[in-house]
Amino acid sequence: MSLRAAGGSSGRRGRIQCCEGGGAGYNVAGAAAVRWGAMECEEKLARFRQAHLNPFNKQPGPRQHAQGAGEEAPDLAPEEVLPELPPVEPEFRCTERVMDLGLSEDHFSRPVGLFLASDIQQLRQAIEECKQVILELPEHSERQKDAVVRLIHLRLKLQELKDPNEDEPHIRVLLEHRFYKEKSKSVKQTCDKCNAIIWGLIQTWYTCTGCSYRCHSKCLNLISKPCVRSKVSHQAEYELNICPEAGLDSQGYRCAECRAPISLRGVPSEARQCDYTGQYYCSHCHWNDLAVIPARVVHNWDFEPRKVSRCSMRYLALMVSRPVLRLREVNPLLFNYVEELVEIRKLRQDILLMKPYFITCKEAMEARLLLQLQDRQHFVESDETYSIQDLLDAHTGRLGCSLTETHTLFAKHIKLDCERCQAKGFVCELCREGDVLFPFDSHTSVCSDCSAVFHRDCYYDNSTTCPKCARLTLRKQSLFQEPGPDLDA
């Protein structure tokens, strides 16, 4: 522009004078003129930019005031007068462009990921309100369970917002999944959503702590299936019909999970049947995983793995140790054909008879004998329920061996090691011979009314009633027949 031209002309004029004065190069006066011209150029260029290039400064610059009043620029030598150039409009004088720069952008919106203190305060208020609702709702109701799930989600969200700079793993909650950001660089994982390999060295991926669902960070927002752990927590039960197929037409020829078009001919996608649910899935939702089907175990004692969908495989993996199968109700004839189950049922019944001895024995409580069955706590609560893992171990023989060892350890404490437990034994009142009897001995029988213990042969050979029951009956009759002290007076 004109200022640069002025600076350039000043420099050239200095060089010309220098050449004319010295004739053999730059002299001191010429070099000073060059430096002085450059400084003047920079100062004028700065004033020009400040006056004309700021779109938000609508006040005229100092040079415009001077030109408008007819004044000349101060301290300018005659040789420094700028050449007159045609008037140039300022570059940003258009009002519309000023508006585009200032108002078309939303400078007041909250950046993504920025959470203010008001958000944390609202979450805390929502948590307190949810607690109050849980206390007001009926216990063990569906609405109360849903409120508890909501309370958990609110607390997880509050944990995310409290301190985003903490070194804890990044948590994301989506459709009741609780995703943790993985730090492993392994490349052996596969995304459950897009069915592609997860390259841990260059890609970010997450794992659900509830159902072990793995996916890329880019696939998180595409997940449509809720976490199966919520179903296990709310409704823990098996499908006990063997492969209950309804047909592709009942699904509208679409995948039962992602609703993608499928057909048995493989166009546009292959239809794969899940042996557990009987439904059909696409290749992205059914990876031909193998799992033991509970319905086939209960009805056929069949432990051969069958092909199931990914969702069914995760559900069966979470349910494998839950004691929800009541074999006597579902298939009572199974005990007539499977000898292992008969032996296991007898051992479980004996352990339940030993439990009262341990509860009242100080030494047994200190030794924590009942913790020998901490992996199968339902064995010390009832002899009716079984888990799929129990039936698998019974089929392989591991459960029978472990229960026999535990039974031997418990019996040794009661009959040999502990004098207090020995003192709680019984003597057969029918023959009054033999050693001290215990209800879990194999050659004894227990009265169903008074829990007295007898020799099995004595109990079945004696046609009379139980002696202890007879004594209790006579005692009750004598209490009712005795006259009170008021009647004698």
Side-chain angles (χ1 to χ4, degrees):
M1 298 176 71
S2 59
L3 291 177
R4 295 181 181 176
S9 61
S10 301
R12 285 194 300 271
R13 190 177 296 111
R15 286 196 296 271
I16 292 171
Q17 292 176 357
C18 188
C19 291
E20 290 177 353
Y26 293 106
N27 55 11
V28 178
V34 171
R35 289 196 297 270
W36 178 79
M39 292 173 59
E40 288 291 329
C41 178
E42 292 178 358
E43 183 179 356
K44 295 172 183 177
L45 183 60
R47 288 201 302 267
F48 179 81
R49 287 178 176 174
Q50 182 178 3
H52 296 279
L53 291 184
N54 187 359
F56 301 102
N57 187 4
K58 298 183 180 180
Q59 299 295 332
R63 185 173 181 84
Q64 292 177 345
H65 279 294
Q67 292 177 355
E71 299 177 355
E72 295 182 358
D75 300 332
L76 287 180
E79 62 272 15
E80 297 172 355
V81 177
L82 299 178
E84 294 183 2
L85 295 177
V88 180
E89 294 183 0
E91 189 174 353
F92 294 96
R93 290 184 64 182
C94 179
T95 309
E96 296 181 357
R97 296 193 63 180
V98 173
M99 295 296 292
D100 290 341
L101 286 174
L103 300 180
S104 62
E105 300 179 9
D106 186 6
H107 299 282
F108 304 99
S109 61
R110 184 184 306 170
V112 178
L114 178 62
F115 300 97
L116 302 180
S118 58
D119 296 323
I120 297 179
Q121 188 65 27
Q122 292 174 4
L123 275 176
R124 288 175 176 171
Q125 183 178 357
I127 288 173
E128 295 300 327
E129 293 175 357
C130 194
K131 288 181 181 179
Q132 189 65 28
V133 170
I134 292 173
L135 295 177
E136 294 175 357
L137 290 174
E139 293 187 1
H140 307 294
S141 62
E142 293 296 329
R143 293 182 59 190
Q144 189 184 48
K145 293 178 181 179
D146 295 339
V148 171
V149 172
R150 174 172 172 76
L151 178 61
I152 294 173
H153 290 174
L154 290 174
R155 284 180 172 174
L156 289 175
K157 192 65 177 177
L158 181 62
Q159 183 179 353
E160 290 184 45
L161 303 186
K162 272 187 175 180
D163 190 1
N165 296 323
E166 290 182 356
D167 294 332
E168 298 179 0
H170 184 240
I171 307 172
R172 295 196 61 179
V173 180
L174 182 66
L175 292 178
E176 300 185 1
H177 291 278
R178 187 178 180 184
F179 287 105
Y180 270 89
K181 184 179 179 181
E182 291 288 352
K183 298 181 180 179
S184 173
K185 303 302 182 182
S186 173
V187 295
K188 298 181 181 180
Q189 308 297 337
T190 306
C191 179
D192 284 319
K193 180 58 184 177
C194 65
N195 202 9
I197 297 177
I198 299 175
W199 300 97
L201 292 174
I202 58 176
Q203 292 178 328
T204 304
W205 58 292
Y206 292 82
T207 301
C208 177
T209 58
C211 63
S212 300
Y213 190 99
R214 301 182 183 92
C215 68
H216 299 97
S217 59
K218 63 181 180 180
C219 299
L220 280 178
N221 295 328
L222 303 178
I223 297 174
S224 57
K225 196 72 175 179
C227 183
V228 296
R229 179 170 286 277
S230 61
K231 181 180 178 182
V232 172
S233 303
H234 288 80
Q235 190 178 5
E237 60 183 10
Y238 285 116
E239 172 61 58
L240 296 180
N241 295 320
I242 298 177
C243 193
E245 180 182 358
L248 266 175
D249 56 340
S250 63
Q251 300 178 203
Y253 293 90
R254 293 184 176 273
C255 174
E257 183 172 346
C258 68
R259 308 306 297 168
I262 55 175
S263 69
L264 295 176
R265 295 182 298 177
V267 179
S269 180
E270 178 188 2
R272 299 179 180 179
Q273 187 181 26
C274 174
D275 196 82
Y276 174 69
T277 62
Q279 295 179 320
Y280 290 88
Y281 299 83
C282 65
S283 58
H284 288 284
C285 303
H286 194 310
W287 297 2
N288 290 330
D289 297 304
L290 299 177
V292 176
I293 309 302
R296 296 184 181 274
V297 173
V298 171
H299 295 290
N300 301 338
W301 200 242
D302 180 10
F303 293 89
E304 181 181 357
R306 311 293 174 122
K307 294 180 179 180
V308 295
S309 65
R310 295 289 294 173
C311 182
S312 299
M313 187 198 67
R314 286 190 290 268
Y315 181 77
L316 294 175
L318 291 174
M319 288 283 293
V320 68
S321 299
R322 288 185 171 260
V324 296
L325 294 173
R326 296 182 176 271
L327 296 183
R328 290 185 181 179
E329 299 177 3
V330 179
N331 186 11
L333 297 178
L334 193 62
F335 291 93
N336 298 336
Y337 296 96
V338 182
E339 297 179 359
E340 297 92 335
L341 288 180
V342 178
E343 180 184 358
I344 290 172
R345 181 176 63 180
K346 180 62 172 65
L347 291 173
R348 292 183 63 176
Q349 290 174 351
D350 291 347
I351 289 175
L352 289 176
L353 294 174
M354 297 177 184
K355 181 180 177 180
Y357 290 87
F358 297 144
I359 293 177
T360 57
C361 177
K362 182 179 179 181
E363 295 180 2
M365 295 299 292
E366 291 178 353
R368 298 184 177 182
L369 292 179
L370 289 177
L371 290 181
Q372 297 290 331
L373 295 171
Q374 60 181 350
D375 295 334
R376 307 180 196 268
Q377 281 296 313
H378 53 284
F379 279 11
V380 296
E381 297 174 358
S382 171
D383 63 335
E384 297 288 338
T385 57
Y386 295 82
S387 66
I388 287 294
Q389 189 63 50
D390 295 338
L391 301 182
L392 284 169
D393 293 341
H395 178 66
T396 57
R398 291 195 299 266
L399 181 59
C401 294
S402 62
L403 273 184
T404 302
E405 295 177 359
T406 305
H407 184 278
T408 303
L409 178 64
F410 288 177
K412 179 176 178 294
H413 171 83
I414 295 174
K415 301 175 70 173
L416 299 176
D417 298 342
C418 181
E419 295 181 356
R420 295 179 181 177
C421 294
Q422 292 178 21
K424 298 175 184 177
F426 293 83
V427 176
C428 180
E429 297 185 24
L430 298 177
C431 66
R432 297 186 181 277
E433 297 178 357
D435 299 332
V436 179
L437 304 179
F438 294 92
F440 50 85
D441 289 334
S442 59
H443 59 283
T444 60
S445 295
V446 181
C447 177
S448 57
D449 296 331
C450 63
S451 300
V453 182
F454 307 93
H455 290 111
R456 180 174 297 174
D457 296 337
C458 299
Y459 187 74
Y460 286 106
D461 292 343
N462 187 11
S463 58
T464 60
T465 59
C466 170
K468 186 176 180 180
C469 292
R471 289 198 309 273
L472 293 175
T473 303
L474 291 175
R475 185 177 302 173
K476 290 180 181 179
Q477 292 178 357
S478 63
L479 290 176
F480 285 113
Q481 291 179 358
E482 285 183 1
D486 296 338
L487 295 177
D488 295 341

